Amino acid sequence: MAGKTAETIAVVAFDGISPFHLSVPCMVFGEDRTEAGAPRFRLLVCGTEPGPLQTNAGFTLVVPHGLEAIRRAQIVVVPSWRDDGRPAPPALIRALQAAHRRGAIVVGLCLGAFVLAEAGLLDGRPATTHWNLAAAFARQYPRVRLQPEVLYVDDGDVLTSAGTAAGIDCCLHLLRVRHGAEAANRAARRMVVAPHRQGGQAQYIRQPMPAAADGDRLAPLLEWLGRHLQSPHELDSLARRALMSRRTFTRRFREATGTTVGQWLQNQRLALAQRLLETSDRPVERVATDVGFGSAVSLRKHFAAAFKVSPTAYRRQFSQDVGSVIRGGNRDRGFGRGSDIGQRQGHGRTTGHF
């Protein structure tokens, strides 16, 4: 976890930028929410060129900093890039390379991944970008291990995301990694978005319009599952609750969530375990039972596989004062609901209990 001093985050703006893409890191990291217990950040928006910048929405931006601001940043975000394939300015490439060499985290949201690849920061590494330009990216940067189907990729000191809303997911993930699940959940609640979607989830979900009725039937089931994560669940019983055949339920669930039933439940349980480890003093054995893993051994196994840290170490890193959490009201009691939609590449079991 980062220290208590404010981290400096540089966000790169350029002529022709989308206001939405620029707003994503600004919303997650730029608002002062320290009174609510959120971490402090010093956000610097820096322009690739001097003077006002024109947005693609028809208005101009006055950006207070130049690329020199990147030298002071612990995190550098390229929130997008031009979709016409033109290269990034050499000064920006050099600034990103220098930041990466000195240990800064570099983030490329949406087409910002093209800039990171141009700088050589993605060579031999996994990355993603907007699905619509994934083929062009693969042709242009064959040394990058492109994963075009996922929402975002965290490769330690370099992160990339797919388009638009996936940038929010990636920034919330970075906030979660550095400051814990509760900090990310607070930011997400303020933005009225899902607190956590796993990076491996599909970028887009192919759902035929006539299936809307089935989607309506799944919504209450997902809400119910979020309230009953501690219980084992069978695929056949869930299909009956959704008023579908097993085969139809399995297909509709994947279409609606981008993952399997088993993986969705596992991700929900892990998200709840993070929350309980941060905000309660329950023993790990009790947390394991309360979230549905059954035993501390099972929780440790899945937790370490997902987060590369043990539950006990995670608690030491991110635990909060329990009294302050209780005084804060702990309003979000439906921990499992909407907190994580799951990984597409995960393989949930198709028989037995989940």
Side-chain angles (χ1 to χ4, degrees):
M1 182 177 176
K4 292 189 178 298
T5 57
E7 288 187 291
T8 299
I9 300 178
V11 180
V12 177
F14 55 90
D15 200 56
I17 194 170
S18 156
F20 177 85
H21 287 96
L22 179 60
S23 74
V24 167
C26 296
M27 284 291 293
V28 175
F29 301 111
E31 293 189 0
D32 185 357
R33 295 190 287 269
T34 52
E35 289 186 0
R40 289 192 303 131
F41 298 102
R42 181 172 179 245
L43 190 134
L44 307 175
V45 178
C46 53
T48 58
E49 53 204 84
L53 301 177
Q54 186 76 18
T55 71
N56 66 1
F59 59 86
T60 59
L61 298 171
V62 177
V63 178
H65 304 284
L67 293 177
E68 71 280 354
I70 292 177
R71 295 198 294 267
R72 307 196 296 274
Q74 287 81 51
I75 299 171
V76 183
V77 182
V78 184
S80 186
W81 193 245
R82 304 178 179 100
D83 58 7
D84 58 7
R86 78 179 78 173
L92 174 57
I93 296 298
R94 291 193 297 270
L96 293 176
Q97 292 169 336
H100 185 254
R101 281 195 301 270
R102 64 174 169 77
I105 292 175
V106 184
V107 183
L109 304 179
C110 192
L111 301 187
F114 278 78
V115 182
L116 271 59
E118 185 180 347
L121 303 185
L122 302 180
D123 287 355
R125 308 179 74 159
T128 193
T129 189
H130 194 292
W131 64 267
N132 197 38
L133 288 177
F137 184 98
R139 288 192 301 270
Q140 192 168 347
Y141 302 107
R143 297 182 63 183
V144 180
R145 289 162 32 213
L146 184 65
Q147 298 180 4
E149 73 283 357
V150 302
L151 287 177
Y152 57 86
V153 175
D154 179 348
D155 197 39
D157 56 355
V158 175
L159 290 83
T160 52
S161 85
T164 317
I168 300 175
D169 296 313
C170 185
C171 289
L172 288 173
H173 165 77
L174 183 58
L175 180 60
R176 176 181 293 261
V177 167
R178 296 181 75 77
H179 294 277
E182 181 60 19
N185 290 348
R186 274 200 208 99
R189 283 195 296 270
R190 188 177 180 93
M191 296 169 65
V192 197
V193 297
H196 188 205
R197 295 198 296 172
Q198 289 281 1
Q201 185 186 324
Q203 281 198 32
Y204 59 96
I205 300 170
R206 302 181 189 274
Q207 172 104 352
M209 289 302 291
D214 289 332
D216 291 341
R217 276 187 277 175
L218 280 177
L221 173 68
L222 296 179
E223 185 175 354
W224 180 84
L225 281 172
R227 296 196 306 268
H228 295 85
L229 293 174
Q230 74 281 6
S231 303
H233 299 287
E234 292 183 340
L235 191 57
D236 288 333
S237 64
L238 294 177
R240 286 194 297 271
R241 178 175 282 271
L243 304 177
M244 300 179 193
S245 70
R246 177 190 175 110
R247 181 177 179 182
T248 299
F249 173 70
T250 302
R251 184 177 72 254
R252 294 303 187 202
F253 194 97
R254 182 179 282 278
E255 289 174 348
T257 68
T259 189
T260 64
V261 177
Q263 190 66 42
W264 187 91
L265 281 167
Q266 179 174 303
N267 291 331
Q268 295 287 329
R269 286 164 173 157
L270 287 170
L272 175 53
Q274 285 183 301
R275 181 73 177 270
L276 294 181
L277 289 168
E278 289 185 29
T279 61
S280 79
D281 58 358
R282 302 179 201 183
V284 172
E285 292 76 10
R286 169 78 182 279
V287 171
T289 302
D290 289 348
V291 303
F293 280 115
S295 71
V297 172
S298 180
L299 171 62
R300 291 187 183 102
K301 174 184 174 182
H302 289 96
F303 201 92
F307 307 119
K308 305 299 185 287
V309 67
S310 70
T312 301
Y314 182 90
R315 168 171 274 166
R316 281 199 301 267
Q317 192 170 6
F318 293 118
S319 63
Q320 304 172 12
D321 176 66
V322 175
S324 67
V325 171
I326 295 173
R327 289 191 298 273
N330 207 356
R331 291 179 295 273
D332 189 16
R333 303 294 293 183
F335 298 122
R337 285 180 288 176
S339 61
D340 179 13
I341 302 183
Q343 295 186 347
R344 181 172 182 167
Q345 67 266 42
H347 299 286
R349 292 169 291 171
T350 58
T351 59
H353 293 84
F354 295 109

